[in-house]
Amino acid sequence: MPLQILLILVVGGIGAVAVLLHLTGRSRQTYLDEGKARAAWSRQFPEQPAARVLVAQNGKAALVAPEAGQPPLGLVWSFGADTVARDLQSHHLSQTAWGLRLQFSDFGAPQADLRLSPAEIEQWHRIIAAQSFDAASGEQSNTAGRPS
């Protein structure tokens, strides 16, 4: 078979799969609420139950505090139709014009770009830098058992 025909078949097949996935709804963005964030966290870290969860206003990310005595804070964010969860033990935090950027030492998820409101940028920056939900003054988090 000539290479040109094979190339057309491969590109056409990949395109057909992409269109089919989109038409069947499997390309929808995942939006987090407290329950989905807890489930995503426990799927990745079953030995560290989430004690507190703070979901971003846009529903695309959540900060997670494991039970008391468990290090460190965690982050869950939507990645297309699925979620990714990472602990914030080893990261580099920087502020951007539209939110925060966390860079991880993990080739599987090297960075997370979080789009946050201006108030959330300050609040999340304080929480992540201090590794504690107590660093946020006047926080409006969902609480299901405050760590002591």
Side-chain angles (χ1 to χ4, degrees), residues 25 27-40 43 53 55-62 76-84 115:
S27 63
R28 286 191 199 122
Q29 177 80 33
T30 296
Y31 290 96
L32 300 171
D33 57 23
E34 183 181 354
K36 287 181 183 177
R38 285 180 186 277
R43 187 175 63 236
V53 176
V55 180
Q57 290 175 0
N58 64 9
K60 293 184 179 180
V76 176
W77 72 96
S78 63
F79 189 73
D82 203 2
T83 58
V84 179
R115 292 191 178 271

Side-chain angles (χ1 to χ4, degrees), residues 18-107:
V19 168
L20 184 63
L21 287 174
H22 183 70
L23 292 176
T24 59
R26 297 186 190 267
S27 63
R28 286 191 199 122
Q29 177 80 33
T30 296
Y31 290 96
L32 300 171
D33 57 23
E34 183 181 354
K36 287 181 183 177
R38 285 180 186 277
W41 178 258
S42 67
R43 187 175 63 236
Q44 186 72 32
F45 299 99
E47 70 284 353
Q48 296 178 357
R52 297 175 74 181
V53 176
L54 176 63
V55 180
Q57 290 175 0
N58 64 9
K60 293 184 179 180
L63 285 174
V64 177
E67 289 182 348
Q70 298 274 345
L73 286 180
L75 176 69
V76 176
W77 72 96
S78 63
F79 189 73
D82 203 2
T83 58
V84 179
R86 292 290 182 267
D87 65 33
L88 298 179
Q89 190 166 7
S90 175
H91 69 280
H92 173 72
L93 176 65
S94 58
Q95 189 169 336
T96 63
W98 38 261
L100 297 174
R101 172 173 290 147
L102 287 104
Q103 295 174 314
F104 304 103
S105 301
D106 180 356
F107 68 90

